[in-house]
Amino acid sequence: LSAMFRCTAELGRSDNLEEFSRRLLNDLILITGADWFILRLMLPGGQQLLAVASSERGPRLEPQPLRPPPQHAPSIERQAALSGADLQFGPSQGLLPDDPIHRFKPDSVGLVHPFFFGETLIGTLAIGRSHGESPFTLEQTEVIHTFGEFLAIQVVNTRLQDERLQLRLVSRELEIARDIPRAL
């Protein structure tokens, strides 16, 4: 809870969702004993998951279309997003060689948690350990869910604030446009 309160206070001073997410999820990996994370958010239009933050600034994480071309097997992140359920991965649930998580952290164990705001998919959170046999305990999984729900609320709030700002800008531009003929 203290990590969430601290990050919320920081987000109030800045509107940088990427940095907010990175700090919050770095706290999550400490709490759960994980080594890494990948946060993907749904782009407007609901067709792609875009990597917004990860624990490492290593390899570039390509956007994941929810409906991949027929020749591509769906990634575990896509599968979790489409099913709306957590999916675990590890030695007994192997990832395909071209799966982005396998390329990012081969031989990892963990889970992909899709998170929602109401019925709307907001994104996915992949979190894992670089080596090991079992992913997370029930308590650790519940903490991951709590952080995911919190992130969903923050993402929606940030998007609503951005929309409100855009509406104000458009309103101001229309006001200026109305004043020009009067001034002439």
Side-chain angles (χ1 to χ4, degrees):
L1 286 176
S2 65
M4 288 180 184
F5 289 133
R6 179 182 46 76
C7 287
T8 302
E10 290 174 10
L11 183 61
R13 291 188 293 269
S14 164
D15 61 350
N16 189 331
L17 187 60
E18 179 183 344
E19 284 305 313
F20 164 80
S21 300
R22 187 171 281 113
R23 284 191 302 272
L24 182 70
L25 295 175
N26 278 324
D27 287 341
L28 178 61
I29 63 176
L30 290 174
I31 292 167
T32 59
D35 296 328
W36 59 268
F37 69 84
I38 300 171
L39 173 66
R40 290 185 186 270
L41 296 179
M42 183 65 73
L43 288 176
Q47 298 301 314
Q48 284 191 333
L49 290 165
L50 179 69
V52 173
S54 67
S55 54
E56 298 177 17
R57 299 184 192 255
R60 177 167 154 70
L61 296 164
E62 297 295 324
Q64 294 293 302
L66 284 186
R67 305 284 182 217
Q71 70 270 21
H72 290 98
S75 71
I76 192 168
E77 292 164 297
R78 283 188 217 131
Q79 292 173 27
L82 292 172
S83 70
D86 286 357
L87 294 179
Q88 295 186 358
F89 56 91
S92 61
Q93 302 100 353
L95 296 171
L96 297 172
D98 63 341
D99 192 288
I101 291 178
H102 179 74
R103 289 193 311 262
F104 183 73
K105 287 291 184 180
D107 303 322
S108 289
V109 297
L111 72 94
V112 177
H113 172 64
F115 53 97
F116 296 81
F117 186 79
E119 298 293 316
T120 304
L121 175 68
I122 301 299
T124 61
L125 172 60
I127 184 166
R129 296 183 180 108
S130 295
H131 300 286
E133 291 298 316
S134 63
F136 299 101
T137 66
L138 181 60
E139 291 82 14
Q140 290 169 327
T141 302
E142 288 176 8
V143 170
I144 292 167
H145 287 186
T146 301
F147 272 65
E149 291 170 11
F150 180 69
L151 266 172
I153 292 167
Q154 297 305 318
V155 168
V156 169
N157 282 340
T158 301
R159 288 178 177 170
L160 287 174
Q161 287 175 354
D162 289 346
E163 286 177 21
R164 208 174 356 235
L165 178 63
Q166 289 301 320
L167 284 172
R168 279 192 217 146
L169 290 173
V170 168
S171 176
R172 179 66 183 137
E173 288 174 1
L174 287 172
E175 189 178 307
I176 292 170
R178 279 191 301 265
D179 288 345
I180 291 173
R182 281 185 243 162
L184 291 175

